[in-house]
Amino acid sequence: MRHRISPGFLAMLPVMALIVLGFALPILLVFLYSLMPPRTFSLAGDPTLANYRAAVTEGYLLPLGWSLGLAGLTTLVCLVLAWPTAKALVRFAGRFATLATILIALPIFISESVRLFGTALFMMPGGGIFAGSLNALFGLKIGSILYTRTATLLGMVYIHFPFMLFPMVLGLSLVPQDQIEAARDLGARPFQVFREIELPLALPGITVGTLLTFVLSLGANAEAAILGGQAVIVITKAIEQRFGYAQDWPSGAALTVLVILVTAAVIFPVLRRVDLDRLIRR
Amino acid sequence: MAVAVNGPILSLVGLTRRFGEIAAVDDIDLEIEDGEFFTIVGPSGSGKSTLVRILAGLERVDSGAVLLRGRAITDVPANKRPTAMVFQSLALFNHKTVGENIEFAPKMRGVDPRARRARALELMDLVRLPEAYYARPVTRCSGGERQRVALARALASDPEILFFDEPLSAIDYRLRKMLEVELKDLHRETGKTFIYITHSLEEAMVMSDRIGIMRAGRLVQIGPPLEIYQEPRSRFVAEFMGEVNVLATGEAGVDGAGWLVVRPEQLRPLAPGEAADVVFEGRIVNDYLLGSRKQFHARANERMLIGEIAVGAGGVPGPGEPVRLGFDLKDAVRVSE
């Protein structure tokens, strides 16, 4: 009898191939390299944990801490800023919301580095766009936050805000207006409406936005490099430096695996509690 | 001025709400008595939903005032009004259980969990929901059960006035009839003021103490159900009541402008030689049995007439047969608009 292959399985094959070749295999390679002796370029060496030991003892915990801290702070700031924005966009759906959405989404189509260099130009002291204009127009002389941690955080928030906003808008649009009205009618104050109705019903969208922002922020290094100067060294910068300048692949691979493990430790417990299907099914 | 104890619970004074050019609610004055079952009936787009949303505090007004026992509450937000609404969509909190839905209002007021639960179970008993439903998600309740949850949830806030925005419109006929009767019983048991919105005059007739007929943002007639039925003041009200014959005065051979409203049971088939004030010669088009009554449609002078007789009370010729129909002017209601 002829063996029958289901069409679903056939349709899945191209994506499976892509995931195996483009994702699973490279990750496996990185993992194997992280177990090789330092400064070797082959997978034939004896497995060792020396690279992980070095990652802890040679001061790489600090950049990892910076990355986690910045990502956490960026996520928090984005959460606080995106909630009122998302509420306004959902509430005033129509021409205003479309325009606002375009204005927020458009910069995504411009290269991140270009945008960050633009921001740097804006922040530059003396002859920068902001400080220079103030000086020329009003004779005001101000300092600059360029090349500080604050500038880095601002850049991170600026770049990652849309990734928090749009899932949140999607989540909030799932909250039926009549349930909000019913809650108000039954005596709920605005904060109680938020806690009892909006937050639980919009949670899938908020969670997706939070995870996206956090994971992207954790992997970001351009903000720190362009706006932070030498004020902050993030872990991705350190990994880039291990693979490139230092030519120590096993060391870079070990740091990469550490970042992946930390990310997974944050994401999986959260994902388990969210019904992503609800967001997609609508 | 001391407000009389048994004065109106709710007064509407010159209430107006516009959406662009259209006045959804157009200069409405109305007084509703304490404990009354008042129903606002109108076709879709007549502004009845907007009116009740204004009363609940969910919609702002352009001008006019709403007074609760003589005190202006026009600008009081919904959460601070002693009223509760049963929404057309029911608007149940689908992420909560039956018990959590019913306990919502007491919870917002900070009532402790044990007292809340006791009250919820009491109300579930009142609206005939089995106690076992307490912990059930509302998404697993049937249509009729959801109605009861919505009702209990509104009652749990212990409102002075309950609003109903067509809550029964999406329910099948038999269940709707049952819930109408239950709602009327509930009104008597609780003694609260009920303000009910519907597009079905039949539904309004069953339950209400008074009915207000709404058209294009205005209340065109207010009165007890029987009065509205027997003495419609306009063609609109007469036709809205269901199947009636509206004849121009000229058609019936009556002097003056206006129309005559003739209800189906007032139009009778005439025996040979029998006289009536107004007589039509025509042909039966069709007949329908309505249980104990039989309705017939006849064509006379290029117009359709609807009549009704009790089954067994004389006969009506079969479809296609010629017929003489007549009514007396004392049975007809004359309207000028």
Side-chain angles (χ1 to χ4, degrees):
Chain A
M1 215 175 91
R2 208 162 62 93
H3 189 69
R4 290 185 60 181
I5 301 170
S6 80
F9 180 76
L10 283 177
M12 215 168 64
L13 277 179
V15 176
M16 292 270 285
L18 192 71
I19 287 178
V20 169
L21 290 176
F23 182 74
L25 224 54
I27 297 263
L28 183 69
L29 277 179
V30 166
F31 176 69
L32 292 177
Y33 257 114
S34 75
L35 298 175
M36 292 296 108
R39 293 177 194 284
T40 55
F41 296 96
S42 131
L43 286 170
D46 293 325
T48 167
L49 287 174
N51 300 303
Y52 290 98
R53 215 171 296 125
V56 176
T57 56
E58 286 174 25
Y60 286 106
L61 288 185
L62 187 66
L64 185 62
W66 268 118
S67 283
L68 281 170
L70 266 176
L73 209 55
T74 304
T75 309
L76 203 68
V77 174
C78 283
L79 265 175
V80 172
L81 290 180
W83 180 262
T85 316
K87 276 200 73 167
L89 286 179
V90 172
R91 174 92 188 269
F92 303 108
R95 203 180 298 165
F96 159 77
T98 313
L99 185 70
T101 307
I102 290 171
L103 285 178
I104 296 166
L106 215 53
I108 301 176
F109 297 105
I110 299 166
S111 146
E112 190 180 314
S113 312
V114 171
R115 276 187 290 156
L116 287 172
F117 277 118
T119 313
L121 272 178
F122 184 81
M123 289 179 177
M124 226 165 251
I129 293 171
F130 186 60
S133 304
L134 280 184
N135 191 10
L137 292 173
F138 307 106
L140 271 175
K141 289 192 197 309
I142 57 158
S144 170
I145 57 163
L146 191 60
Y147 305 134
T148 62
R149 292 162 191 170
T150 313
T152 310
L153 182 65
L154 270 178
M156 299 267 282
V157 169
Y158 165 58
I159 295 291
H160 297 107
F161 182 68
F163 299 100
M164 178 67 85
L165 180 68
F166 293 124
M168 200 183 259
V169 167
L170 190 60
L172 254 177
S173 65
L174 292 177
V175 184
Q177 186 60 31
D178 62 353
Q179 289 193 25
I180 295 177
E181 287 186 341
R184 280 170 56 206
D185 185 56
L186 293 167
R189 284 175 274 116
F191 177 73
Q192 289 174 318
V193 174
F194 166 75
R195 195 189 60 203
E196 297 285 333
I197 312 295
E198 290 175 318
L199 191 60
L201 290 179
L203 200 59
I206 297 172
T207 311
V208 170
T210 304
L211 288 180
L212 267 181
T213 309
F214 184 79
V215 171
L216 290 174
S217 299
L218 198 59
N221 66 27
E223 293 83 357
I226 296 169
L227 299 176
Q230 295 301 314
V232 193
I233 305 278
V234 290
I235 191 70
T236 35
K237 184 75 193 168
I239 292 171
E240 188 190 343
Q241 192 248 349
R242 294 318 293 167
F243 274 108
Y245 177 73
Q247 288 291 301
D248 189 350
W249 290 10
S251 161
L255 291 178
T256 308
V257 170
L258 277 182
V259 172
I260 291 173
L261 288 179
V262 168
T263 312
V266 173
I267 288 179
F268 283 109
V270 179
L271 268 188
R272 195 174 300 169
R273 300 187 53 183
V274 185
D275 184 6
L276 283 180
D277 279 351
R278 244 202 85 217
L279 202 64
I280 298 161
R281 253 188 279 122
R282 299 211 58 178
Chain B
M1 188 188 83
V3 176
V5 178
N6 39 7
I9 188 168
L10 202 63
S11 311
L12 285 55
V13 186
L15 216 54
T16 301
R17 175 77 171 107
R18 283 175 219 288
F19 294 110
E21 293 286 288
I22 298 154
V25 171
D26 190 1
D27 195 20
I28 284 189
D29 294 301
L30 178 66
E31 292 203 329
I32 292 180
E33 299 300 320
D34 201 348
E36 192 175 14
F37 196 132
F38 190 92
T39 303
I40 299 165
V41 195
S44 53
S46 58
K48 54 191 193 302
S49 263
T50 307
L51 179 58
V52 85
R53 285 173 57 80
I54 289 173
L55 301 184
L58 295 170
E59 190 79 59
R60 62 176 186 83
V61 302
D62 289 317
S63 59
V66 181
L67 304 147
L68 182 77
R69 297 189 197 284
R71 190 175 57 91
I73 56 160
T74 323
D75 297 321
V76 175
N79 58 329
K80 297 203 176 105
R81 292 190 188 196
T83 61
M85 170 120 96
V86 178
F87 288 76
Q88 178 164 23
S89 63
L90 302 184
L92 294 181
F93 305 133
N94 287 330
H95 58 297
K96 293 177 185 282
T97 63
V98 169
E100 286 167 344
N101 265 274
I102 299 173
E103 288 175 21
F104 189 84
K107 187 180 174 190
M108 295 304 101
R109 256 191 269 127
V111 177
D112 77 88
R114 203 175 307 156
R116 256 158 39 196
R117 191 189 151 96
R119 177 79 178 129
L121 291 174
E122 204 180 292
L123 286 165
M124 285 174 69
D125 185 50
L126 184 69
V127 301
R128 289 165 221 186
L129 269 174
E131 199 178 316
Y133 278 60
Y134 182 82
R136 188 171 292 195
V138 282
T139 44
R140 283 187 40 223
C141 292
S142 73
E145 288 156 7
R146 290 170 66 83
Q147 292 281 343
R148 290 160 206 268
V149 176
L151 193 57
R153 186 181 72 173
L155 284 166
S157 70
D158 208 17
E160 292 191 52
I161 305 175
L162 264 141
F163 300 115
F164 298 85
D165 186 6
E166 303 203 41
L168 303 183
S169 60
I171 292 220
D172 70 79
Y173 183 79
R174 278 184 51 162
L175 184 59
R176 193 169 71 227
K177 289 284 139 203
M178 203 168 96
L179 289 170
E180 280 170 11
V181 173
E182 283 184 24
L183 213 52
K184 192 171 180 174
D185 291 345
L186 191 73
H187 174 246
R188 204 174 30 240
E189 283 165 39
T190 59
K192 291 185 187 300
T193 307
F194 280 28
I195 297 181
Y196 196 95
I197 299 282
T198 178
H199 59 265
S200 156
L201 193 79
E202 190 196 345
E203 199 170 294
M205 291 272 179
V206 175
M207 299 186 287
S208 322
D209 295 321
R210 275 197 307 159
I211 294 174
I213 310 267
M214 196 155 175
R215 180 193 193 186
R218 290 174 164 273
L219 285 170
V220 292
Q221 188 169 355
I222 300 169
L226 201 61
E227 186 184 301
I228 302 240
Y229 182 70
Q230 290 177 337
E231 297 161 41
R233 263 194 250 129
S234 62
R235 285 170 67 193
F236 175 80
V237 173
E239 279 168 354
F240 195 72
M241 267 176 5
E243 293 168 303
V244 290
N245 302 290
V246 178
L247 307 166
T249 43
E251 248 183 308
V254 177
D255 290 338
W259 288 269
L260 292 176
V261 176
V262 183
R263 288 203 307 279
E265 62 267 30
Q266 251 100 39
L267 190 73
R268 60 180 194 272
L270 299 175
E274 189 182 351
D277 291 350
V278 179
V279 176
F280 291 97
E281 304 266 359
R283 226 169 252 285
I284 298 288
V285 176
N286 225 329
D287 55 17
Y288 313 89
L289 192 61
L290 308 172
S292 62
R293 306 186 68 79
K294 187 186 229 182
Q295 189 178 83
F296 56 89
H297 292 186
R299 180 175 290 280
N301 305 341
E302 297 302 307
R303 65 154 19 259
M304 291 298 283
L305 293 168
I306 304 169
E308 241 176 66
I309 54 165
V311 168
V316 185
E321 301 289 319
V323 69
R324 273 178 79 235
L325 297 167
F327 66 91
D328 295 324
L329 287 175
K330 67 172 171 54
D331 295 329
V333 177
R334 187 159 173 177
V335 296
S336 58
E337 51 172 349

